[in-house]
Amino acid sequence: MSKGHTIPLLHFARLLLRRNFSVTLFTTTANRPFIADSLSGTAASIVTLPFTVSTTNNDIPPGIESTDKLPSMSLFFEFAMATASIQPHFEQALETLPRVSFMVTDGFLWWTLQSANKFHIPRLVFFGMSCYSVSVFREAEMQGIFRGPQPDDELVELTRFPWIKICKEDLEPSSRNAEPGSIPYEFNVKSVGASVNSYGTVVNSFYELEPLFVDYLKTTNTSHKYWCVGPLCLADDVGSFSGTKEPKWMTWLHQKKKFSVLYVAFGSQAEVSNEELEEIAMGLEESMVSFLWVIRKKDWVLPKGFEERVEGRGMAVREWVDQREILNDERVGGYVSHCGWNSVVESVCGGVPMVAWPMMAEQHVNARMVEEELKVGIRMETCDGKVRGSVKREGVSKCVKELMEGERGIQLRQNVKVLARLARMAVQEGGSSWSALDHLIHELCRKK
Ligand SMILES: O=c1ccn([C@@H]2O[C@H](COP(=O)(O)OP(=O)(O)O[C@H]3O[C@H](CO)[C@@H](O)[C@H](O)[C@H]3O)[C@@H](O)[C@H]2O)c(=O)[nH]1
């Protein structure tokens, strides 16, 4: 019930359909059109379950069934906890299905493990995170870094991976400071507990991207399996989600030169403040680079005269775009990204280097991976150099110029192109992700 989780799961469904599996998608009323649209023309069945949010203080208006529609992401934990009301409907529907080989459910829907156990169906978890971030969080947790006495922004070396240094600020404050008994704490305990006790995890990644971390997860927890079957975004032809009429931004993009356009977008749910939007606008204007900027916020007004001043060179849109199509266009030469894992993977597959500007969830650790481990991006400069420090127009302008016009940008583009090639090889017949899916199918279907 979050676009960043739904989209890769839909791609995974396509992979299974292509291998002649019969696939049933469970969703809720308001989410059904998105799912049905994405899977149109396939043989997937869709089951719609009712969802009524009932929270203690009624902060979540009725009819909200996806995190990108929440009035504020601070309501996320209440929203996620409320999904447990779907469980009886889910189980009723499971009773009507023919024999099920396995279920793949979102890591946030912890209660699906109980249902899976009741019906003797192996549950595979999908969290949508990289093996790098799961490994880093696990090691940091075991070393007690997030509860240590050091200042929030002091970097601490991971004993297991000594070249990686992280600080408390790399973990979301709502998780770091969650008190036992609080909703965030209970939610984390439930979802992590259910995940650990599930049969295995499906990962939207590929072995060659992060071999050390895939091996680490596989060897440190032998009772739980990991299958890297990605990049899942390659399961679908680019552009297959779009309608028939070319959107105005694609027509605009098609008039530009190779590698000349900077794409700026922050995923489906990050909350960018009005002050930050103002700094982005002014930074992009000052940089003189050509840009395509997706502003999700409907009620924020662009600075006076901005559109006239950047006319021809820059375009700002508020619609839902086909991001994969944009990142696969050779005219796009850089991406200012919040580092949601899907966006990182899509950027890698498109061969597009990044300016990493993490905002929430595990994105700060993803940003470290992008810059320090994969070497396919630079970190957005904050005014005080701190991980969660504020970003000003000078930082925006400097970083995007470095990416689009500097020597470092050229090197990063070369690095990411290598990974893009490896990504394609991984999903081809005989590639690592192809084989991982073979093993998954063989193991779970033979088990039945
Ligand atoms: O206009 C838009 C906006 C988004 N997208 C797509 O939406 C997805 C967004 O996913 P992601 O980049 O991962 O960002 P979030 O939506 O913020 O994802 C959440 O889920 C991810 C997977 O768990 C986490 O890595 C993130 O931190 C978390 O915020 C991607 O496939 C984008 O291509 C579009 O196609 N068009």
Side-chain angles (χ1 to χ4, degrees):
M1 295 165 83
S2 173
K3 295 276 188 303
H5 292 207
T6 308
I7 293 171
L9 276 172
L10 289 168
H11 289 142
F12 186 62
R14 278 192 180 253
L15 279 187
L16 294 174
L17 286 161
R18 218 172 281 153
R19 303 257 184 143
N20 292 325
F21 266 81
S22 143
V23 177
T24 304
L25 270 296
F26 290 86
T27 185
T28 62
T29 316
N31 288 311
R32 187 185 171 107
F34 186 79
I35 307 252
D37 190 36
S38 305
L39 290 176
S40 66
T42 73
S45 315
I46 304 177
V47 175
T48 311
L49 306 170
F51 173 53
T52 321
V53 201
S54 120
T55 56
T56 38
N57 49 13
N58 294 322
D59 280 341
I60 305 175
I64 303 281
E65 299 185 5
S66 181
T67 55
D68 56 302
K69 300 278 189 312
L70 283 172
S72 156
M73 278 309 283
S74 60
L75 296 167
F76 168 78
F77 290 104
E78 279 188 71
F79 175 78
M81 288 297 254
T83 62
S85 67
I86 303 172
Q87 186 175 358
H89 307 290
F90 180 52
E91 290 179 8
Q92 249 172 29
L94 282 180
E95 267 168 22
T96 67
L97 287 188
R99 207 177 72 168
V100 175
S101 302
F102 59 93
M103 66 163 79
V104 185
T105 55
D106 193 289
F108 290 158
L109 306 178
W110 77 92
W111 45 268
T112 56
L113 177 63
Q114 291 164 5
S115 311
N117 289 343
K118 216 181 269 182
F119 287 80
H120 307 290
I121 303 170
R123 179 213 185 199
L124 302 183
V125 195
F126 181 77
F127 261 113
M129 285 160 67
S130 63
C131 292
Y132 172 93
S133 60
V134 176
S135 310
V136 166
F137 281 126
R138 183 190 286 181
E139 280 296 313
E141 194 58 60
M142 279 171 5
Q143 250 179 268
I145 292 177
F146 300 128
R147 288 176 306 281
Q150 79 280 9
D152 288 356
D153 56 345
E154 186 175 304
L155 288 168
V156 181
E157 184 180 289
L158 291 182
T159 317
R160 179 83 182 223
F161 308 112
W163 64 95
I164 302 176
K165 294 187 180 62
I166 69 154
C167 64
K168 288 185 189 171
E169 292 270 83
D170 282 317
L171 180 68
E172 185 78 352
S174 57
S175 297
R176 200 180 343 135
N177 304 323
E179 294 288 341
S182 66
I183 296 183
Y185 185 90
E186 294 306 319
F187 172 73
N188 285 333
V189 168
K190 279 179 195 293
S191 51
V192 173
S195 165
V196 175
N197 291 313
S198 293
Y199 190 87
T201 297
V202 173
V203 189
N204 181 14
S205 186
F206 58 103
Y207 184 75
E208 294 76 7
L209 187 72
E210 40 174 355
L212 268 175
F213 304 95
V214 179
D215 289 342
Y216 163 81
L217 289 180
K218 285 188 173 176
T219 50
T220 51
N221 188 359
T222 45
S223 61
H224 185 91
K225 313 246 172 167
Y226 287 88
W227 285 282
C228 289
V229 293
L232 291 171
C233 60
L234 295 182
D236 223 3
D237 298 331
V238 169
S240 60
F241 275 62
S242 359
T244 42
K245 194 172 172 295
E246 184 174 74
K248 61 178 191 267
W249 51 90
M250 289 312 291
T251 311
W252 177 87
L253 185 60
H254 289 152
Q255 294 155 7
K256 302 290 173 204
K257 290 204 191 85
K258 195 171 176 182
F259 301 149
S260 69
V261 177
L262 175 78
Y263 172 59
V264 184
F266 304 101
S268 70
Q269 59 186 24
E271 285 171 333
V272 188
S273 68
N274 289 354
E275 294 72 33
E276 285 168 326
L277 289 167
E278 183 87 18
E279 296 302 319
I280 297 169
M282 301 319 288
L284 290 175
E285 185 180 337
E286 272 173 36
S287 72
M288 297 307 286
V289 305
S290 188
F291 63 87
L292 172 57
W293 175 21
V294 182
I295 313 170
R296 283 185 52 247
K297 217 169 189 175
K298 297 273 184 276
D299 56 359
W300 179 74
V301 185
L302 282 162
K304 203 160 177 281
F306 175 80
E307 278 169 301
E308 292 75 43
R309 291 195 298 275
V310 300
E311 202 184 347
R313 156 165 91 83
M315 184 174 205
V317 300
R318 292 180 201 262
E319 291 91 337
W320 179 265
V321 301
D322 185 338
Q323 176 167 298
R324 287 181 319 133
E325 190 176 13
I326 293 172
L327 288 169
N328 272 286
D329 194 297
E330 61 171 16
R331 296 155 190 99
V332 175
Y335 173 21
V336 176
S337 175
H338 66 309
C339 292
W341 183 241
N342 298 293
S343 293
V344 171
V345 171
E346 289 162 15
S347 205
V348 164
C349 291
V352 179
M354 287 160 265
V355 172
W357 183 354
M359 308 235 157
M360 54 176 288
E362 90 295 17
Q363 294 159 13
H364 290 81
V365 172
N366 292 345
R368 287 200 184 281
M369 182 185 188
V370 163
E371 186 182 40
E372 299 162 16
E373 195 75 26
L374 301 178
K375 300 187 172 41
V376 295
I378 49 178
R379 191 75 178 245
M380 179 61 90
E381 190 174 279
T382 56
C383 58
D384 53 7
K386 292 193 171 164
V387 165
R388 288 179 193 260
S390 50
V391 172
K392 297 289 176 207
R393 61 195 67 181
E394 298 77 22
V396 174
S397 171
K398 184 178 152 199
C399 291
V400 304
K401 277 205 287 210
E402 197 175 348
L403 185 76
M404 298 301 285
E405 296 162 2
E407 282 302 313
R408 192 145 169 231
I410 296 171
Q411 183 58 54
L412 297 172
R413 182 161 306 122
Q414 284 171 3
N415 296 350
V416 74
K417 294 275 178 208
V418 173
L419 293 180
R421 268 197 303 280
L422 292 174
R424 264 162 228 286
M425 282 161 67
V427 296
Q428 276 163 15
E429 194 163 350
S432 61
S433 295
W434 176 284
S435 307
L437 185 57
D438 266 354
H439 287 136
L440 183 160
I441 290 170
H442 184 68
E443 182 168 332
L444 287 160
C445 300
R446 193 192 50 197
K447 227 179 159 59
K448 263 289 167 197

